[in-house]
Amino acid sequence: MYCAEQVVSELVKAAKNLTASDKDVAGAKARVKTALFTAHSGCGEVQRTGRHLLMTGASGNIADTVKAIDAVSPADVTKAIARAFSGKLTVAAVGNVNDVPYSDTL
């Protein structure tokens, strides 16, 4: 039986060594595009345009968004994963935290 410290340590090790395969990225792109096209109607379109305006200062359009999604490569995703887990990690827990390791031990 594993204790919380072992589980968290193994998860951190696994996360630091993640890479994105062509299949993983293609599947993620398909899911993101599906969500985008689903939201691209009625109120969803207004919300999407508003978010885009707030984030970029331009209204943009769905074709530009799809091009940006298509431009993401497995190398880009692997690089983002590496950056996300290269710095000092934060630990959050709910419930009994007696066995949760301190973030400086990860």
Side-chain angles (χ1 to χ4, degrees), residues 1-93:
M1 186 169 175
Y2 291 102
C3 72
E5 186 172 351
Q6 289 173 313
V7 171
V8 172
S9 294
E10 290 300 317
L11 287 172
V12 169
K13 286 180 195 173
K16 288 185 176 186
N17 293 316
L18 284 175
T19 57
S21 71
D22 290 337
K23 182 180 176 183
D24 294 333
V25 173
K29 287 179 181 183
R31 288 188 295 279
V32 169
K33 287 184 210 177
T34 298
L36 178 66
F37 292 133
T38 300
H40 189 67
S41 63
C43 291
E45 176 62 10
V46 172
Q47 291 174 344
R48 186 196 66 76
T49 302
R51 273 193 305 271
H52 194 80
L53 274 168
L54 287 172
M55 292 173 54
T56 67
S59 63
N61 63 43
I62 196 165
D64 292 338
T65 304
V66 170
K67 285 179 189 174
I69 293 166
D70 287 336
V72 175
S73 71
D76 295 331
V77 176
T78 299
K79 183 178 176 183
I81 292 168
R83 283 190 71 195
F85 291 101
S86 65
K88 191 169 185 171
L89 300 177
T90 300
V91 176

